[in-house]
Amino acid sequence: MDVLNTMQLVEATIASIQEKRDNSDRSFKALYEKSTKLAGEMGTEIQKHRITKLQKNRSNIQIESVEDYYRTSVFIPFLDFILNELTTRFPKHEMKCVGKLQMPLSSNFEKGYHNEILEGAYLYKDDLPCFSALEGELQIWKYIWKSLPEKKRPKHPAQAYRLADAPPNVRMLLQLLCTLPVTTSTAERSFSALRRLKT
């Protein structure tokens, strides 16, 4: 999966969670009913935590209804946390800039949008062979793009990257699109597993 597909999925995920957050009464009601049914099958019932007049270390919301208590103290804060993490991990401005790099593969590329592509490419100007030549190369790429039959036009950066006649800066942008990581991960360090091995 590339960054552009991820961007669309992240936006859809944020919109879906935000809808649940905006309609928390309705979305939590179904969840609470399932939880109540499950608790009944296990021979117990859902109870709210003890509430005190003054509490600093945990949630102490003064609500009588058990359903409202868990909706206010657990459900809504959880959704807010997830939304905050997603927007922090995938900043909208940076994602839009990366999205503009896909424009040379768009069917509307013939109509222009060069300034928007340049704005997106500015983030990676140090990685390009010659950023100042990019505007001229986009004009060349436009004519290369127009010369290709519509069925043969590449839909994915990896397909476009294989075109031998792509100008160097455009080719580098396509390479960046192919290789930008969606997430990062690191291998577990050996000393962190050593205790388990000894045990």
Side-chain angles (χ1 to χ4, degrees):
M1 181 185 293
D2 62 21
V3 167
L4 302 167
N5 290 336
T6 306
M7 182 175 67
Q8 293 172 349
L9 289 172
V10 167
E11 286 176 356
T13 304
I14 289 173
S16 172
I17 296 172
Q18 187 63 54
E19 185 182 357
K20 286 186 181 298
R21 172 66 177 85
D22 295 339
N23 303 309
S24 61
D25 292 340
R26 189 173 69 243
S27 53
F28 182 70
K29 190 170 186 64
L31 185 64
Y32 184 75
E33 286 172 359
K34 284 182 185 176
S35 302
T36 307
K37 184 180 177 183
L38 184 62
E41 290 172 2
M42 302 296 288
T44 185
E45 62 180 34
I46 299 175
Q47 297 176 345
K48 65 179 180 180
H49 292 291
R50 182 173 57 86
I51 295 173
T52 61
K53 288 184 178 179
L54 182 64
Q55 180 60 257
K56 294 181 180 178
N57 298 325
R58 63 179 172 85
S59 180
N60 192 47
I61 299 167
Q62 303 288 333
I63 294 176
E64 293 302 320
S65 165
V66 177
E67 182 180 342
D68 288 341
Y69 174 81
Y70 281 104
R71 181 176 58 81
T72 310
S73 65
V74 178
F75 185 68
I76 292 174
F78 176 72
L79 292 182
D80 288 341
F81 173 77
I82 294 293
L83 286 170
N84 184 51
E85 289 295 305
L86 282 171
T87 51
T88 304
R89 176 69 182 83
F90 301 98
K92 195 170 271 189
H93 172 69
E94 288 183 19
M95 296 298 279
K96 278 187 177 177
C97 285
V98 173
K100 290 174 183 177
L101 297 181
Q102 195 187 21
M103 287 182 177
L105 303 177
S106 167
S107 56
N108 296 323
F109 177 61
E110 299 168 29
K111 299 174 185 174
Y113 302 111
H114 293 171
N115 288 337
E116 292 188 33
I117 297 169
L118 289 171
E119 186 184 337
Y122 188 76
L123 276 175
Y124 304 101
K125 66 176 185 173
D126 295 333
D127 298 314
L128 300 178
C130 181
F131 179 74
S132 58
L134 178 59
E135 190 171 359
E137 288 186 10
L138 286 172
Q139 296 287 343
I140 296 167
W141 176 253
K142 179 180 174 180
Y143 287 102
I144 294 171
W145 185 262
K146 285 168 91 172
S147 68
L148 293 170
E150 197 163 336
K151 289 182 180 178
K152 290 188 177 181
R153 287 179 182 173
K155 300 281 191 278
H156 192 272
Q159 296 169 340
Y161 179 74
R162 291 189 198 105
L163 291 175
D165 48 0
N169 283 294
V170 174
R171 192 172 169 81
M172 181 56 73
L173 283 179
L174 295 170
Q175 184 178 346
L176 284 167
L177 276 175
C178 292
T179 56
L180 279 172
V182 175
T183 58
T184 55
S185 62
T186 55
E188 186 179 13
R189 300 182 192 282
S190 59
F191 60 80
S192 64
L194 192 60
R195 186 178 68 250
R196 291 201 298 274
L197 289 172
K198 284 182 176 179
T199 305

